[in-house]
Amino acid sequence: MILICGIPSEAPVRLVIEAAMAQGARHAVFSQREAHFYDLHLAVDEAGVSGRLYMRHAEWRLEEFSGVYARLMDFRDLPEHQPHTPGALNQDERHKSALMHSALDEWLEMAPCPVLNRSSAMASNGSKPYQAQLIARAGFRTPETLITNRPEAARAFLAVHGRVIFKSISSIRSVVKELDQVRLAELERIRFLPTQFQAFVPGTNIRVHVVGAELFATQIDTQAVDYRYAGQDGLAVTMTPIELPPSIADRCRHLSRLLNLPLCGIDLKRTPDDQYVCFEVNPSPGYSYYQERTGQDIAGAIVRYLMK
Amino acid sequence: MKPILILAHPGDRLARRVGGWLQSWGGPDCVKLIGVEQIALAPDWRHYQTRQGVTTHIRLADGAILDDRFGAVFNRLQQVELPHFAGAAAADRAYALAEMQALLLSWLHSLPCPVINRASPQGLGGARRTHAQWLHLAHAGGLPVQAYHFSTNPRRFSPPTQVNSPLLSFRSPASTSLGGISQLEPITPLQIGADPTFFVEAVGAERRRVLVAGERVVGAVEGMDVDGCRRLARLAGCALLEIEWARRMAGEDGAWVVCGANSFPVGEDGGFVAAIGDLLVAEAAPSPGPLVSTGGEERGVREKGAGGL
């Protein structure tokens, strides 16, 4: 029995539900927006961890679940949690939904079954330079990086590398922008808060989705600096499934294990001299964007992994 | 021996006491205490990640430079504060705090010297866990634990009735955090209804805090599993771990059970302070290999990072 947690209409969650149905995999869906209707019992005692989950007139022992796919958004951002909006929960319902989410997350951290992914492992993405150090440990090259609040240091970095991008250090507001003449004129602002600069790495974007031992590599061709936002700049994106060199594929699996993220989206660039540079690892990848454009059966792999 | 760096919040009395102990032991030059705001507001931050590794240059407002001269770090950082963003919009303030937190984590992780406790994505001062997660880890380490139950609706799911080990009931007033029982409000059995309720095994009033400092266990008494305490610290990836014990009220002649743990010790007992001081001195002294193995993917406290400070 697989437990699928999230917003069932959201594409990555929907595709896992559809894949489970296609594979005939028994599954239950924890819909975040209905959490205040559900019930959970969680116990830690001399027998270890145990519990029960009640959803939509059905009940399961937590030990029944062979694996969990969890793509949970912050419950505080759910429409039902916004007071004074149509369909808003009352205070008691919000309280119950909040505790339900906290207890579910707590159980996922302790559950003996595979979980895609645990929030403790996903937290490595909260600091990109921290994660970059782990990426380097896995054997990948990472972009040359400077985090500073000294404008002169940023200018010197630009002088060395010629072309530089900047992006957030944390996972908030994670948009990549180029340090162009307009931004250079505003550089004094970094004195208030250190900012992350990276040498621009030329080459072809590749997104690798790792699901356990299965790998799905997608080449992305675009002129945009950040292909995720190419549409906003009116630029086209094409995606093509590719095979990675075995050594790079092994490195991706190793990185996935190192980060304790059996499901992850690894952002690579293949440089003109055929080197692979790793930018970051997305711990809760919106893989549907790639699956729907390439036909790669990533959702199917997720279900297979959780059924093992 | 290289000096020891203590990174702490202004009100951290344990950090100050450890600083005092180190000064008594090795003189004023053997320890430097730096506040979180001094680091966060440093006018010169340069954190480089290159193919050669990670290097960081920090110049504080008083001109002091943090370089690679430290032999060990006593890391007591928790929540970053950025007073110059106090008047900013809430979203901007949250962004600035997340950015600084992310930078500090990367910096602490990159330090070439032992950092006690190691910073973690779950907390700068070490991985934070909920009450249930600590009990689960203690159980995994072979320690007896105080029974814990949480039910969103005791009318549907009530914990088993334990005649020999009565359960106390609590509710969470407003907080969504499951961090600790101390944050909860006790309620009587008559108040238990269909609302979310926590249940914990009733234990005796006598409590004991035990500190694991490397391989040393301080404060344990007869009946406590000292090796189990070390195992729990290793499982948690902590060189320093405070474990709270209480006596079971019935069933096993008042046996000691674990009823909580904290990777951010707060006990100021003289024995704790000395044990932490000893550990820091031992870690700061040159040594050929790991002193404390934390297992799995976690690095031992002596293991070096990717670059220099």
Side-chain angles (χ1 to χ4, degrees), chain A residues 199-232:
Chain A
F200 178 80
V201 177
T204 305
N205 285 297
I206 296 170
R207 163 57 77 95
V208 182
H209 288 102
V210 182
V211 187
E214 292 195 61
L215 226 62
F216 302 88
T218 310
Q219 179 171 313
I220 301 114
D221 294 296
T222 182
Q223 295 299 311
V225 171
D226 187 339
Y227 70 84
R228 297 170 301 170
Y229 302 95
Q232 291 178 8

PDB file of all heavy atoms in Angstrom, chain A residues 199-232:
ATOM      1  N   ALA A 199      30.011  32.280 -11.334  1.00  0.00           N
ATOM      2  CA  ALA A 199      30.526  32.390 -12.701  1.00  0.00           C
ATOM      3  C   ALA A 199      29.503  31.770 -13.644  1.00  0.00           C
ATOM      4  O   ALA A 199      28.987  30.672 -13.366  1.00  0.00           O
ATOM      5  CB  ALA A 199      31.855  31.656 -12.804  1.00  0.00           C
ATOM      6  N   PHE A 200      29.210  32.467 -14.721  1.00  0.00           N
ATOM      7  CA  PHE A 200      28.294  31.908 -15.718  1.00  0.00           C
ATOM      8  C   PHE A 200      28.981  30.711 -16.373  1.00  0.00           C
ATOM      9  O   PHE A 200      30.137  30.792 -16.767  1.00  0.00           O
ATOM     10  CB  PHE A 200      27.930  32.959 -16.769  1.00  0.00           C
ATOM     11  CG  PHE A 200      27.037  32.416 -17.847  1.00  0.00           C
ATOM     12  CD1 PHE A 200      25.673  32.278 -17.631  1.00  0.00           C
ATOM     13  CD2 PHE A 200      27.560  32.024 -19.078  1.00  0.00           C
ATOM     14  CE1 PHE A 200      24.851  31.759 -18.611  1.00  0.00           C
ATOM     15  CE2 PHE A 200      26.748  31.500 -20.066  1.00  0.00           C
ATOM     16  CZ  PHE A 200      25.382  31.367 -19.836  1.00  0.00           C
ATOM     17  N   VAL A 201      28.253  29.618 -16.457  1.00  0.00           N
ATOM     18  CA  VAL A 201      28.809  28.409 -17.076  1.00  0.00           C
ATOM     19  C   VAL A 201      28.101  28.213 -18.410  1.00  0.00           C
ATOM     20  O   VAL A 201      26.886  27.967 -18.445  1.00  0.00           O
ATOM     21  CB  VAL A 201      28.590  27.175 -16.170  1.00  0.00           C
ATOM     22  CG1 VAL A 201      29.105  25.907 -16.840  1.00  0.00           C
ATOM     23  CG2 VAL A 201      29.249  27.384 -14.819  1.00  0.00           C
ATOM     24  N   PRO A 202      28.828  28.331 -19.509  1.00  0.00           N
ATOM     25  CA  PRO A 202      28.188  28.112 -20.803  1.00  0.00           C
ATOM     26  C   PRO A 202      27.938  26.626 -21.026  1.00  0.00           C
ATOM     27  O   PRO A 202      28.630  25.774 -20.441  1.00  0.00           O
ATOM     28  CB  PRO A 202      29.227  28.635 -21.805  1.00  0.00           C
ATOM     29  CG  PRO A 202      30.538  28.457 -21.106  1.00  0.00           C
ATOM     30  CD  PRO A 202      30.267  28.616 -19.628  1.00  0.00           C
ATOM     31  N   GLY A 203      26.956  26.322 -21.836  1.00  0.00           N
ATOM     32  CA  GLY A 203      26.710  24.916 -22.146  1.00  0.00           C
ATOM     33  C   GLY A 203      25.234  24.594 -22.233  1.00  0.00           C
ATOM     34  O   GLY A 203      24.388  25.493 -22.279  1.00  0.00           O
ATOM     35  N   THR A 204      24.959  23.312 -22.233  1.00  0.00           N
ATOM     36  CA  THR A 204      23.593  22.816 -22.414  1.00  0.00           C
ATOM     37  C   THR A 204      23.028  22.363 -21.073  1.00  0.00           C
ATOM     38  O   THR A 204      23.678  21.605 -20.339  1.00  0.00           O
ATOM     39  CB  THR A 204      23.602  21.621 -23.390  1.00  0.00           C
ATOM     40  OG1 THR A 204      24.245  22.040 -24.590  1.00  0.00           O
ATOM     41  CG2 THR A 204      22.201  21.146 -23.685  1.00  0.00           C
ATOM     42  N   ASN A 205      21.816  22.835 -20.763  1.00  0.00           N
ATOM     43  CA  ASN A 205      21.159  22.422 -19.521  1.00  0.00           C
ATOM     44  C   ASN A 205      20.680  20.972 -19.612  1.00  0.00           C
ATOM     45  O   ASN A 205      20.112  20.562 -20.634  1.00  0.00           O
ATOM     46  CB  ASN A 205      19.944  23.309 -19.260  1.00  0.00           C
ATOM     47  CG  ASN A 205      20.346  24.690 -18.775  1.00  0.00           C
ATOM     48  OD1 ASN A 205      20.944  24.828 -17.714  1.00  0.00           O
ATOM     49  ND2 ASN A 205      20.033  25.708 -19.558  1.00  0.00           N
ATOM     50  N   ILE A 206      20.908  20.248 -18.538  1.00  0.00           N
ATOM     51  CA  ILE A 206      20.396  18.876 -18.439  1.00  0.00           C
ATOM     52  C   ILE A 206      19.753  18.716 -17.070  1.00  0.00           C
ATOM     53  O   ILE A 206      20.363  19.056 -16.053  1.00  0.00           O
ATOM     54  CB  ILE A 206      21.536  17.841 -18.603  1.00  0.00           C
ATOM     55  CG1 ILE A 206      22.129  17.939 -20.014  1.00  0.00           C
ATOM     56  CG2 ILE A 206      21.037  16.422 -18.330  1.00  0.00           C
ATOM     57  CD1 ILE A 206      23.403  17.144 -20.203  1.00  0.00           C
ATOM     58  N   ARG A 207      18.527  18.231 -17.051  1.00  0.00           N
ATOM     59  CA  ARG A 207      17.868  17.900 -15.785  1.00  0.00           C
ATOM     60  C   ARG A 207      17.862  16.378 -15.670  1.00  0.00           C
ATOM     61  O   ARG A 207      17.436  15.680 -16.587  1.00  0.00           O
ATOM     62  CB  ARG A 207      16.450  18.463 -15.754  1.00  0.00           C
ATOM     63  CG  ARG A 207      15.505  17.872 -14.701  1.00  0.00           C
ATOM     64  CD  ARG A 207      16.005  17.974 -13.262  1.00  0.00           C
ATOM     65  NE  ARG A 207      15.870  19.291 -12.665  1.00  0.00           N
ATOM     66  CZ  ARG A 207      14.835  19.660 -11.909  1.00  0.00           C
ATOM     67  NH1 ARG A 207      13.866  18.805 -11.672  1.00  0.00           N
ATOM     68  NH2 ARG A 207      14.793  20.858 -11.388  1.00  0.00           N
ATOM     69  N   VAL A 208      18.367  15.901 -14.555  1.00  0.00           N
ATOM     70  CA  VAL A 208      18.380  14.455 -14.298  1.00  0.00           C
ATOM     71  C   VAL A 208      17.440  14.170 -13.135  1.00  0.00           C
ATOM     72  O   VAL A 208      17.632  14.705 -12.042  1.00  0.00           O
ATOM     73  CB  VAL A 208      19.800  13.955 -13.956  1.00  0.00           C
ATOM     74  CG1 VAL A 208      19.792  12.441 -13.748  1.00  0.00           C
ATOM     75  CG2 VAL A 208      20.788  14.344 -15.043  1.00  0.00           C
ATOM     76  N   HIS A 209      16.442  13.359 -13.378  1.00  0.00           N
ATOM     77  CA  HIS A 209      15.587  12.910 -12.285  1.00  0.00           C
ATOM     78  C   HIS A 209      16.065  11.531 -11.837  1.00  0.00           C
ATOM     79  O   HIS A 209      16.160  10.612 -12.654  1.00  0.00           O
ATOM     80  CB  HIS A 209      14.123  12.855 -12.722  1.00  0.00           C
ATOM     81  CG  HIS A 209      13.521  14.216 -12.880  1.00  0.00           C
ATOM     82  ND1 HIS A 209      13.328  14.818 -14.101  1.00  0.00           N
ATOM     83  CD2 HIS A 209      13.098  15.113 -11.942  1.00  0.00           C
ATOM     84  CE1 HIS A 209      12.806  16.023 -13.919  1.00  0.00           C
ATOM     85  NE2 HIS A 209      12.657  16.224 -12.630  1.00  0.00           N
ATOM     86  N   VAL A 210      16.382  11.435 -10.573  1.00  0.00           N
ATOM     87  CA  VAL A 210      16.781  10.151  -9.997  1.00  0.00           C
ATOM     88  C   VAL A 210      15.603   9.633  -9.200  1.00  0.00           C
ATOM     89  O   VAL A 210      15.009  10.369  -8.404  1.00  0.00           O
ATOM     90  CB  VAL A 210      18.003  10.307  -9.063  1.00  0.00           C
ATOM     91  CG1 VAL A 210      18.428   8.951  -8.506  1.00  0.00           C
ATOM     92  CG2 VAL A 210      19.157  10.978  -9.783  1.00  0.00           C
ATOM     93  N   VAL A 211      15.253   8.368  -9.432  1.00  0.00           N
ATOM     94  CA  VAL A 211      14.215   7.699  -8.633  1.00  0.00           C
ATOM     95  C   VAL A 211      14.813   6.365  -8.204  1.00  0.00           C
ATOM     96  O   VAL A 211      14.829   5.407  -8.976  1.00  0.00           O
ATOM     97  CB  VAL A 211      12.924   7.464  -9.429  1.00  0.00           C
ATOM     98  CG1 VAL A 211      11.837   6.923  -8.495  1.00  0.00           C
ATOM     99  CG2 VAL A 211      12.452   8.726 -10.131  1.00  0.00           C
ATOM    100  N   GLY A 212      15.371   6.328  -7.000  1.00  0.00           N
ATOM    101  CA  GLY A 212      16.085   5.135  -6.566  1.00  0.00           C
ATOM    102  C   GLY A 212      17.272   4.911  -7.484  1.00  0.00           C
ATOM    103  O   GLY A 212      18.150   5.768  -7.596  1.00  0.00           O
ATOM    104  N   ALA A 213      17.264   3.784  -8.179  1.00  0.00           N
ATOM    105  CA  ALA A 213      18.364   3.501  -9.107  1.00  0.00           C
ATOM    106  C   ALA A 213      18.028   3.919 -10.537  1.00  0.00           C
ATOM    107  O   ALA A 213      18.888   3.865 -11.411  1.00  0.00           O
ATOM    108  CB  ALA A 213      18.687   2.010  -9.056  1.00  0.00           C
ATOM    109  N   GLU A 214      16.779   4.297 -10.762  1.00  0.00           N
ATOM    110  CA  GLU A 214      16.380   4.695 -12.131  1.00  0.00           C
ATOM    111  C   GLU A 214      16.744   6.151 -12.385  1.00  0.00           C
ATOM    112  O   GLU A 214      16.681   6.984 -11.485  1.00  0.00           O
ATOM    113  CB  GLU A 214      14.871   4.490 -12.328  1.00  0.00           C
ATOM    114  CG  GLU A 214      14.458   3.029 -12.326  1.00  0.00           C
ATOM    115  CD  GLU A 214      13.048   2.838 -12.888  1.00  0.00           C
ATOM    116  OE1 GLU A 214      12.818   3.183 -14.061  1.00  0.00           O
ATOM    117  OE2 GLU A 214      12.191   2.352 -12.131  1.00  0.00           O
ATOM    118  N   LEU A 215      17.084   6.413 -13.641  1.00  0.00           N
ATOM    119  CA  LEU A 215      17.559   7.745 -14.020  1.00  0.00           C
ATOM    120  C   LEU A 215      16.840   8.220 -15.265  1.00  0.00           C
ATOM    121  O   LEU A 215      16.651   7.445 -16.210  1.00  0.00           O
ATOM    122  CB  LEU A 215      19.054   7.632 -14.334  1.00  0.00           C
ATOM    123  CG  LEU A 215      19.999   8.674 -13.758  1.00  0.00           C
ATOM    124  CD1 LEU A 215      19.981   8.631 -12.249  1.00  0.00           C
ATOM    125  CD2 LEU A 215      21.414   8.411 -14.263  1.00  0.00           C
ATOM    126  N   PHE A 216      16.453   9.474 -15.288  1.00  0.00           N
ATOM    127  CA  PHE A 216      15.813  10.075 -16.462  1.00  0.00           C
ATOM    128  C   PHE A 216      16.529  11.395 -16.757  1.00  0.00           C
ATOM    129  O   PHE A 216      16.403  12.353 -15.979  1.00  0.00           O
ATOM    130  CB  PHE A 216      14.329  10.340 -16.199  1.00  0.00           C
ATOM    131  CG  PHE A 216      13.570   9.103 -15.815  1.00  0.00           C
ATOM    132  CD1 PHE A 216      13.493   8.702 -14.479  1.00  0.00           C
ATOM    133  CD2 PHE A 216      12.941   8.318 -16.776  1.00  0.00           C
ATOM    134  CE1 PHE A 216      12.802   7.558 -14.114  1.00  0.00           C
ATOM    135  CE2 PHE A 216      12.239   7.177 -16.414  1.00  0.00           C
ATOM    136  CZ  PHE A 216      12.172   6.790 -15.080  1.00  0.00           C
ATOM    137  N   ALA A 217      17.263  11.434 -17.838  1.00  0.00           N
ATOM    138  CA  ALA A 217      18.014  12.642 -18.186  1.00  0.00           C
ATOM    139  C   ALA A 217      17.306  13.353 -19.336  1.00  0.00           C
ATOM    140  O   ALA A 217      16.902  12.722 -20.314  1.00  0.00           O
ATOM    141  CB  ALA A 217      19.438  12.288 -18.569  1.00  0.00           C
ATOM    142  N   THR A 218      17.169  14.666 -19.194  1.00  0.00           N
ATOM    143  CA  THR A 218      16.477  15.474 -20.192  1.00  0.00           C
ATOM    144  C   THR A 218      17.367  16.643 -20.590  1.00  0.00           C
ATOM    145  O   THR A 218      17.817  17.395 -19.712  1.00  0.00           O
ATOM    146  CB  THR A 218      15.160  16.031 -19.612  1.00  0.00           C
ATOM    147  OG1 THR A 218      14.427  14.961 -19.010  1.00  0.00           O
ATOM    148  CG2 THR A 218      14.329  16.698 -20.693  1.00  0.00           C
ATOM    149  N   GLN A 219      17.597  16.778 -21.875  1.00  0.00           N
ATOM    150  CA  GLN A 219      18.362  17.942 -22.351  1.00  0.00           C
ATOM    151  C   GLN A 219      17.395  19.081 -22.629  1.00  0.00           C
ATOM    152  O   GLN A 219      16.344  18.877 -23.250  1.00  0.00           O
ATOM    153  CB  GLN A 219      19.138  17.573 -23.610  1.00  0.00           C
ATOM    154  CG  GLN A 219      19.936  18.721 -24.185  1.00  0.00           C
ATOM    155  CD  GLN A 219      20.855  18.266 -25.310  1.00  0.00           C
ATOM    156  OE1 GLN A 219      21.562  17.260 -25.176  1.00  0.00           O
ATOM    157  NE2 GLN A 219      20.849  18.996 -26.415  1.00  0.00           N
ATOM    158  N   ILE A 220      17.767  20.281 -22.184  1.00  0.00           N
ATOM    159  CA  ILE A 220      16.900  21.450 -22.361  1.00  0.00           C
ATOM    160  C   ILE A 220      17.644  22.465 -23.229  1.00  0.00           C
ATOM    161  O   ILE A 220      18.754  22.886 -22.885  1.00  0.00           O
ATOM    162  CB  ILE A 220      16.548  22.096 -21.011  1.00  0.00           C
ATOM    163  CG1 ILE A 220      15.832  21.073 -20.127  1.00  0.00           C
ATOM    164  CG2 ILE A 220      15.665  23.325 -21.186  1.00  0.00           C
ATOM    165  CD1 ILE A 220      16.573  20.676 -18.916  1.00  0.00           C
ATOM    166  N   ASP A 221      17.051  22.801 -24.351  1.00  0.00           N
ATOM    167  CA  ASP A 221      17.666  23.784 -25.238  1.00  0.00           C
ATOM    168  C   ASP A 221      16.866  25.074 -25.194  1.00  0.00           C
ATOM    169  O   ASP A 221      15.661  25.078 -25.472  1.00  0.00           O
ATOM    170  CB  ASP A 221      17.728  23.235 -26.671  1.00  0.00           C
ATOM    171  CG  ASP A 221      18.675  22.041 -26.755  1.00  0.00           C
ATOM    172  OD1 ASP A 221      19.875  22.245 -26.508  1.00  0.00           O
ATOM    173  OD2 ASP A 221      18.208  20.910 -27.025  1.00  0.00           O
ATOM    174  N   THR A 222      17.546  26.152 -24.830  1.00  0.00           N
ATOM    175  CA  THR A 222      16.920  27.474 -24.763  1.00  0.00           C
ATOM    176  C   THR A 222      18.004  28.544 -24.734  1.00  0.00           C
ATOM    177  O   THR A 222      19.168  28.255 -24.412  1.00  0.00           O
ATOM    178  CB  THR A 222      16.035  27.610 -23.505  1.00  0.00           C
ATOM    179  OG1 THR A 222      15.416  28.884 -23.515  1.00  0.00           O
ATOM    180  CG2 THR A 222      16.846  27.469 -22.233  1.00  0.00           C
ATOM    181  N   GLN A 223      17.615  29.757 -25.020  1.00  0.00           N
ATOM    182  CA  GLN A 223      18.544  30.890 -24.923  1.00  0.00           C
ATOM    183  C   GLN A 223      18.422  31.585 -23.560  1.00  0.00           C
ATOM    184  O   GLN A 223      19.198  32.482 -23.259  1.00  0.00           O
ATOM    185  CB  GLN A 223      18.239  31.911 -26.035  1.00  0.00           C
ATOM    186  CG  GLN A 223      18.476  31.375 -27.448  1.00  0.00           C
ATOM    187  CD  GLN A 223      19.930  30.968 -27.663  1.00  0.00           C
ATOM    188  OE1 GLN A 223      20.842  31.724 -27.354  1.00  0.00           O
ATOM    189  NE2 GLN A 223      20.135  29.763 -28.176  1.00  0.00           N
ATOM    190  N   ALA A 224      17.480  31.166 -22.757  1.00  0.00           N
ATOM    191  CA  ALA A 224      17.247  31.854 -21.476  1.00  0.00           C
ATOM    192  C   ALA A 224      18.345  31.519 -20.469  1.00  0.00           C
ATOM    193  O   ALA A 224      18.891  30.415 -20.478  1.00  0.00           O
ATOM    194  CB  ALA A 224      15.887  31.437 -20.911  1.00  0.00           C
ATOM    195  N   VAL A 225      18.656  32.476 -19.574  1.00  0.00           N
ATOM    196  CA  VAL A 225      19.637  32.235 -18.513  1.00  0.00           C
ATOM    197  C   VAL A 225      19.084  31.180 -17.546  1.00  0.00           C
ATOM    198  O   VAL A 225      19.779  30.280 -17.104  1.00  0.00           O
ATOM    199  CB  VAL A 225      19.946  33.553 -17.749  1.00  0.00           C
ATOM    200  CG1 VAL A 225      20.788  33.274 -16.505  1.00  0.00           C
ATOM    201  CG2 VAL A 225      20.678  34.528 -18.662  1.00  0.00           C
ATOM    202  N   ASP A 226      17.804  31.284 -17.216  1.00  0.00           N
ATOM    203  CA  ASP A 226      17.140  30.325 -16.339  1.00  0.00           C
ATOM    204  C   ASP A 226      15.956  29.753 -17.126  1.00  0.00           C
ATOM    205  O   ASP A 226      14.927  30.421 -17.286  1.00  0.00           O
ATOM    206  CB  ASP A 226      16.664  31.029 -15.061  1.00  0.00           C
ATOM    207  CG  ASP A 226      16.119  30.055 -14.021  1.00  0.00           C
ATOM    208  OD1 ASP A 226      15.738  28.930 -14.414  1.00  0.00           O
ATOM    209  OD2 ASP A 226      16.064  30.428 -12.837  1.00  0.00           O
ATOM    210  N   TYR A 227      16.105  28.528 -17.615  1.00  0.00           N
ATOM    211  CA  TYR A 227      15.100  27.979 -18.537  1.00  0.00           C
ATOM    212  C   TYR A 227      13.714  27.853 -17.912  1.00  0.00           C
ATOM    213  O   TYR A 227      12.711  27.852 -18.603  1.00  0.00           O
ATOM    214  CB  TYR A 227      15.557  26.632 -19.111  1.00  0.00           C
ATOM    215  CG  TYR A 227      15.587  25.480 -18.135  1.00  0.00           C
ATOM    216  CD1 TYR A 227      14.441  24.744 -17.856  1.00  0.00           C
ATOM    217  CD2 TYR A 227      16.769  25.098 -17.518  1.00  0.00           C
ATOM    218  CE1 TYR A 227      14.463  23.679 -16.969  1.00  0.00           C
ATOM    219  CE2 TYR A 227      16.806  24.035 -16.633  1.00  0.00           C
ATOM    220  CZ  TYR A 227      15.662  23.331 -16.354  1.00  0.00           C
ATOM    221  OH  TYR A 227      15.693  22.292 -15.481  1.00  0.00           O
ATOM    222  N   ARG A 228      13.663  27.791 -16.568  1.00  0.00           N
ATOM    223  CA  ARG A 228      12.356  27.656 -15.911  1.00  0.00           C
ATOM    224  C   ARG A 228      11.498  28.900 -16.143  1.00  0.00           C
ATOM    225  O   ARG A 228      10.285  28.840 -16.053  1.00  0.00           O
ATOM    226  CB  ARG A 228      12.554  27.454 -14.400  1.00  0.00           C
ATOM    227  CG  ARG A 228      13.299  26.195 -14.045  1.00  0.00           C
ATOM    228  CD  ARG A 228      13.670  26.194 -12.585  1.00  0.00           C
ATOM    229  NE  ARG A 228      14.500  27.351 -12.234  1.00  0.00           N
ATOM    230  CZ  ARG A 228      14.810  27.699 -10.986  1.00  0.00           C
ATOM    231  NH1 ARG A 228      14.358  26.999  -9.974  1.00  0.00           N
ATOM    232  NH2 ARG A 228      15.574  28.753 -10.748  1.00  0.00           N
ATOM    233  N   TYR A 229      12.172  30.014 -16.397  1.00  0.00           N
ATOM    234  CA  TYR A 229      11.433  31.264 -16.578  1.00  0.00           C
ATOM    235  C   TYR A 229      11.570  31.789 -18.011  1.00  0.00           C
ATOM    236  O   TYR A 229      11.380  32.967 -18.267  1.00  0.00           O
ATOM    237  CB  TYR A 229      11.915  32.318 -15.573  1.00  0.00           C
ATOM    238  CG  TYR A 229      11.750  31.843 -14.146  1.00  0.00           C
ATOM    239  CD1 TYR A 229      12.806  31.235 -13.464  1.00  0.00           C
ATOM    240  CD2 TYR A 229      10.524  31.949 -13.502  1.00  0.00           C
ATOM    241  CE1 TYR A 229      12.644  30.773 -12.166  1.00  0.00           C
ATOM    242  CE2 TYR A 229      10.356  31.491 -12.207  1.00  0.00           C
ATOM    243  CZ  TYR A 229      11.416  30.903 -11.541  1.00  0.00           C
ATOM    244  OH  TYR A 229      11.254  30.437 -10.257  1.00  0.00           O
ATOM    245  N   ALA A 230      11.904  30.880 -18.959  1.00  0.00           N
ATOM    246  CA  ALA A 230      12.106  31.300 -20.349  1.00  0.00           C
ATOM    247  C   ALA A 230      10.845  31.932 -20.924  1.00  0.00           C
ATOM    248  O   ALA A 230      10.916  32.910 -21.672  1.00  0.00           O
ATOM    249  CB  ALA A 230      12.529  30.092 -21.186  1.00  0.00           C
ATOM    250  N   GLY A 231       9.694  31.362 -20.563  1.00  0.00           N
ATOM    251  CA  GLY A 231       8.431  31.864 -21.088  1.00  0.00           C
ATOM    252  C   GLY A 231       8.211  33.326 -20.733  1.00  0.00           C
ATOM    253  O   GLY A 231       7.692  34.099 -21.543  1.00  0.00           O
ATOM    254  N   GLN A 232       8.637  33.706 -19.509  1.00  0.00           N
ATOM    255  CA  GLN A 232       8.467  35.097 -19.080  1.00  0.00           C
ATOM    256  C   GLN A 232       9.280  36.048 -19.954  1.00  0.00           C
ATOM    257  O   GLN A 232       8.949  37.216 -20.110  1.00  0.00           O
ATOM    258  CB  GLN A 232       8.908  35.264 -17.620  1.00  0.00           C
ATOM    259  CG  GLN A 232       7.979  34.567 -16.642  1.00  0.00           C
ATOM    260  CD  GLN A 232       8.456  34.698 -15.200  1.00  0.00           C
ATOM    261  OE1 GLN A 232       9.388  35.428 -14.896  1.00  0.00           O
ATOM    262  NE2 GLN A 232       7.809  33.959 -14.313  1.00  0.00           N
TER     263      GLN A 232
END
